[in-house]
Amino acid sequence: MAVEAPIYTLKDVRLSFGLNPLFTGVDLYISRGDKICLVGRNGCGKSTLLKIIAGDLEPDDGEIFMQPGARVGYMPQEPDFGSCQTLREVVESGLPAEEAHQTFRADQLIEYFDINETQHPDVASGGEKRKAALARALINEPDILLLDEPTNHLDIAAIEKLEEIIKKFTGAVIVISHDRAFLNHISQTTFWLDRGVLRRNNKGFAYFEAWQDQMIEQEIIEQKALNKKIAEETEWLHKGVTARRKRNMGRLRRLQQLRQERREQIKTVGSVNMEIEMPDMRSKLVIEAKHIYKSFGARDIVKDFSIRVMKGNKLGIVGPNGSGKTTLLKLLTKKLAPDSGFVRIGKNLEEAYFDQNRLTLDPKKTLWKTLCNEGDHIWVRGHFRHVVAYLKDFLFKPEQAQCPVSALSGGEKNRLMLAVALARPSNFLVLDEPTNDLDMDTLDLLQEVLDEYEGTIIIVSHDRDFMDKVATSLLYMKGDGTVFEHVGTYTDLLEKLKSQNIKIEAKKAPTTPANKPREKNKTVKLSYKEQYLLEHLPQEIETLEQEIKAIEIALGNPNLYTDDPQKFDELTVALAAHKQAVEQKETQWLEIQLKIEEIQTTD
């Protein structure tokens, strides 16, 4: 039986940025029907390799062959929508010029992914942008489909649709993703890019860890014959990977114990009058919400929800995009007031908030200065750590400590932002989509840090594997205002929902609160003021955040208080006022966005 020739081949491909070699002789072949996952540490060149295959980047050396007439569909990690005015235009922009009239393909993909086609890309949510970018990559019916972190910002419904597309896709697919569950479901071949060398295993990602451990052990044995420095480098690169993996079983037992404790807490609360304070629990109380209700217009976001969050709980918030997860997070942390009911926060809470869209890095600063502006030690979770040792915890090489932030890859920047957030003194950690763009090793590290964290954690994420390994319980938001708590894994919750025939997509039709009768045939539309705010709030927020950054830099001067105490006091007051203004403007913008969704569902 004849073997079909590869549709795409790279031979001895080399690429350097400045004096730093990224690829030192990459060989690969791609055959029709291949379902490949591309894995490797942040900064190893995964995204760069996809750009070479897509034809967006030329290597320094090597041979490239693609079968004549073959098409490539490429979704980069950060898609550029150019001058497109609607998400429909984004999708249609993927059509070849000679097939631009075949807009029915856009209709099919827009309907399949449930894309809000009339929305402008600038105001679209991360999930809507991601779906449009996916549809654009698929619309030209490619022979090779390249997807760089396609599950970022997607909810479970969209991820499952993407999984179905990939499984049925007759061409070749190469995917970069941190989502282990997603890779387990779709991959049949694994490419591992490590220190400029590409290794291939003709098995899916489910077999990757065992294969990786085997390769590491073999390499360490081989390195013993070489000099000590190389051996130490190899050990540093991989020892942490295998050591963390061996501790996984201990972490799993600990998590099961915490879940049992959460069941007992819920049972205890449920057996007494909620109006009566329990002295043994009160001292450990972090958040108490009673009968909270929040709506925007005629749409219920949260209705009649009560919960007690105790010290040490690791609470996950899950649900489809648009169901109100960020709103619930703001309600529970008192950044947003409920329409009715109340939220009480425990005393002496020190919150650390991680959100990739809000935490910014100074590209001119070194990694060292980003973490430790003065001196060489940083206070982390109760004790001092040398800044280089702390950076090594987050998989940075010692020599990277003096590199500027601008030299880091996208994934490395996210890893650094995580290091900054986790270094802040806190007993209450809020993580909003922390797994986006992180590599597998960093996810392992993050899971370990969260397991050892003695405070309370609230996490918003769509990553099934991550939530399975971290959260003690989950708050599931259906999208109609109802919220219920599930003690167990995210995987079990999804199976439970499917067995009960509960759709995991958000409801589009707005519900009408019983205590807020809606006027019949009332036309809902944005006021002039709301239209003005929608256009100007993002710039106002950005300006405030820049001013906050400048104030924080000024306050970071250790001599300011003694040299000019009046200015120190003025800056401190201004910083608090600016942060409050940002929260208010973000809430305003969120309310207008939700009103837009309501208008679109009633049109």
Side-chain angles (χ1 to χ4, degrees):
M1 183 177 178
V3 178
E4 186 178 352
I7 192 172
Y8 187 94
T9 305
L10 289 180
K11 187 174 180 181
D12 198 25
V13 165
R14 300 171 184 273
L15 180 67
S16 296
F17 291 129
L19 299 175
N20 300 316
L22 190 62
F23 303 140
T24 55
V26 167
D27 296 312
L28 70 79
Y29 63 88
I30 304 168
S31 300
R32 195 176 297 276
D34 279 348
K35 304 292 188 292
I36 300 166
C37 66
L38 175 58
V39 299
R41 188 166 286 175
N42 287 145
C44 71
K46 300 187 299 295
S47 295
T48 303
L49 182 57
L50 281 200
K51 289 178 182 177
I52 290 174
I53 298 172
D56 288 358
L57 184 65
E58 287 287 333
D60 297 333
D61 197 10
E63 299 177 16
I64 300 175
F65 171 78
M66 184 165 67
Q67 284 186 5
R71 293 181 175 182
V72 177
Y74 173 45
M75 191 202 79
Q77 192 171 326
E78 297 294 337
D80 180 8
F81 297 147
S83 59
C84 295
Q85 297 300 303
T86 65
L87 293 182
R88 181 179 186 87
E89 287 184 21
V90 171
V91 178
E92 291 181 347
S93 67
L95 283 168
E98 66 275 13
E99 298 170 9
H101 62 285
Q102 298 184 15
T103 55
F104 66 90
R105 296 191 204 169
D107 296 334
Q108 294 169 344
L109 289 165
I110 287 168
E111 181 179 1
Y112 184 77
F113 280 115
D114 194 19
I115 297 170
N116 189 345
E117 61 180 308
T118 60
Q119 197 167 35
H120 194 287
D122 289 349
V123 298
S125 67
E128 287 293 322
K129 290 178 183 177
R130 215 70 183 168
K131 291 190 291 186
L134 278 168
R136 179 171 67 179
L138 287 161
I139 196 170
N140 72 335
E141 299 176 350
D143 301 282
I144 302 173
L145 180 62
L146 308 173
L147 304 175
D148 195 346
E149 293 289 0
T151 64
N152 281 358
H153 308 294
L154 293 187
D155 58 23
I156 291 299
I159 291 172
E160 290 184 342
K161 287 178 178 179
L162 178 58
E163 287 176 359
E164 192 64 25
I165 282 178
I166 292 174
K167 288 175 183 177
K168 294 179 178 179
F169 191 72
T170 57
V173 182
I174 303 182
V175 177
I176 298 172
S177 179
H178 64 271
D179 188 329
R180 284 179 165 90
F182 173 70
L183 294 181
N184 284 340
H185 291 162
I186 60 97
S187 64
Q188 298 169 353
T189 300
T190 304
F191 286 174
W192 177 24
L193 187 57
D194 179 40
R195 288 164 290 160
V197 177
L198 188 71
R199 297 179 173 94
R200 178 182 182 122
N201 185 26
N202 292 322
K203 291 183 178 180
F205 182 76
Y207 300 90
F208 171 68
E209 290 185 351
W211 175 56
Q212 183 188 37
D213 287 345
Q214 181 183 348
M215 293 293 101
I216 290 171
E217 289 171 10
Q218 180 181 334
E219 184 175 357
I220 289 174
I221 291 171
E222 293 171 354
Q223 293 292 358
K224 284 183 178 179
L226 299 177
N227 65 63
K228 185 179 179 182
K229 180 174 173 57
I230 295 177
E232 287 176 350
E233 176 76 358
T234 303
E235 183 180 15
W236 174 82
L237 280 167
H238 294 307
K239 186 176 180 181
V241 176
T242 53
R244 276 193 295 277
R245 196 166 295 139
K246 289 174 183 175
R247 290 196 290 269
N248 276 349
M249 291 308 296
R251 298 214 308 263
L252 180 59
R253 286 191 292 270
R254 165 73 176 155
L255 183 58
Q256 290 170 341
Q257 178 186 348
L258 290 172
R259 284 177 177 149
Q260 184 58 39
E261 289 176 8
R262 183 59 186 164
R263 290 188 187 95
E264 294 300 321
Q265 289 170 0
I266 295 171
K267 191 183 300 181
T268 304
V269 172
S271 64
V272 299
N273 185 344
M274 285 288 286
E275 300 300 323
I276 300 174
E277 295 290 353
M278 293 176 290
D280 61 323
M281 294 181 69
R282 182 168 51 187
S283 61
K284 297 180 180 179
L285 185 68
V286 176
I287 297 173
E288 181 180 32
K290 283 189 179 181
H291 307 294
I292 59 173
Y293 174 88
K294 186 67 181 177
S295 67
F296 291 119
R299 183 183 175 194
D300 289 336
I301 306 299
V302 178
K303 57 184 180 183
D304 195 24
F305 175 62
S306 300
I307 191 173
R308 280 177 175 237
V309 181
M310 312 305 295
K311 179 183 176 182
N313 287 165
K314 296 177 173 64
L315 187 66
I317 303 178
V318 298
N321 285 336
S323 59
K325 297 186 294 297
T326 299
T327 301
L328 179 58
L329 189 67
K330 287 183 177 245
L331 289 168
L332 293 178
T333 54
K334 295 197 75 171
K335 292 179 176 62
L336 185 64
D339 297 338
S340 60
F342 75 88
V343 176
R344 183 161 65 95
I345 300 290
K347 294 181 180 179
N348 302 319
L349 273 190
E350 293 184 68
E351 178 186 307
Y353 192 101
F354 175 79
D355 177 355
Q356 294 176 67
N357 295 320
R358 294 177 61 182
L359 184 59
T360 57
L361 300 170
D362 185 343
K364 296 179 182 178
K365 275 191 173 183
T366 63
L367 277 66
W368 184 306
K369 290 294 184 183
T370 298
L371 284 165
C372 185
N373 205 40
E374 297 290 336
D376 56 9
H377 281 73
I378 183 171
W379 182 259
V380 181
R381 294 187 291 279
H383 58 278
F384 280 105
R385 297 288 309 282
H386 194 280
V387 65
V388 174
Y390 186 65
L391 282 168
K392 285 175 71 174
D393 285 349
F394 285 83
L395 310 177
F396 291 104
K397 296 178 183 179
E399 56 267 29
Q400 287 182 284
Q402 298 297 344
C403 290
V405 169
S406 58
L408 299 180
S409 70
E412 286 175 319
K413 287 176 182 175
N414 288 332
R415 195 194 303 160
L416 181 60
M417 285 193 290
L418 197 61
V420 171
L422 294 174
R424 291 173 178 169
S426 72
N427 53 21
F428 180 39
L429 192 58
V430 181
L431 303 171
D432 196 352
E433 293 289 357
T435 66
N436 285 350
D437 303 323
L438 296 181
D439 57 31
M440 303 296 179
D441 292 346
T442 311
L443 282 174
D444 284 341
L445 170 68
L446 177 58
Q447 289 166 16
E448 184 171 341
V449 170
L450 297 183
D451 175 64
E452 295 172 352
Y453 188 76
E454 295 180 356
T456 304
I457 304 172
I458 299 182
I459 312 167
V460 176
S461 178
H462 295 296
D463 190 317
R464 292 158 287 182
D465 183 81
F466 179 75
M467 292 297 248
D468 283 352
K469 293 176 179 176
V470 170
T472 55
S473 65
L474 302 166
L475 296 181
Y476 179 74
M477 305 188 72
K478 290 175 62 178
D480 61 357
T482 58
V483 185
F484 67 85
E485 185 170 5
H486 168 78
V487 181
T489 68
Y490 196 4
T491 302
D492 289 342
L493 171 62
L494 293 172
E495 290 300 320
K496 180 180 177 181
L497 294 174
K498 288 176 182 176
S499 68
Q500 296 174 353
N501 293 321
I502 297 176
K503 293 190 74 175
I504 57 177
E505 287 109 336
K507 287 192 174 183
K508 286 198 169 184
T511 56
T512 304
N515 60 338
K516 292 188 178 182
R518 185 180 178 185
E519 297 177 25
K520 292 184 178 180
N521 300 323
K522 182 179 178 180
T523 302
V524 182
K525 62 180 181 179
L526 291 184
S527 65
Y528 174 80
K529 180 181 178 181
E530 287 169 330
Q531 290 173 345
Y532 177 86
L533 289 173
L534 182 67
E535 183 178 347
H536 290 84
L537 278 175
Q539 182 59 45
E540 291 176 12
I541 292 169
E542 183 179 351
T543 300
L544 281 168
E545 287 177 339
Q546 290 173 353
E547 292 173 358
I548 287 171
K549 187 176 178 181
I551 294 171
E552 288 175 338
I553 291 172
L555 288 172
N557 179 359
N559 301 320
L560 178 63
Y561 182 75
T562 53
D563 293 347
D564 193 346
Q566 182 178 349
K567 184 177 181 182
F568 180 87
D569 291 340
E570 290 173 354
L571 288 175
T572 303
V573 172
L575 181 63
H578 277 53
K579 287 185 174 181
Q580 184 178 1
V582 168
E583 292 291 348
Q584 290 173 343
K585 290 179 184 297
E586 285 180 341
T587 300
Q588 277 183 300
W589 191 84
L590 176 64
E591 290 175 349
I592 296 170
Q593 286 295 316
L594 289 166
K595 188 171 182 179
I596 290 172
E597 289 184 18
E598 179 196 346
I599 293 169
Q600 291 165 345
T601 55
T602 54
D603 282 347

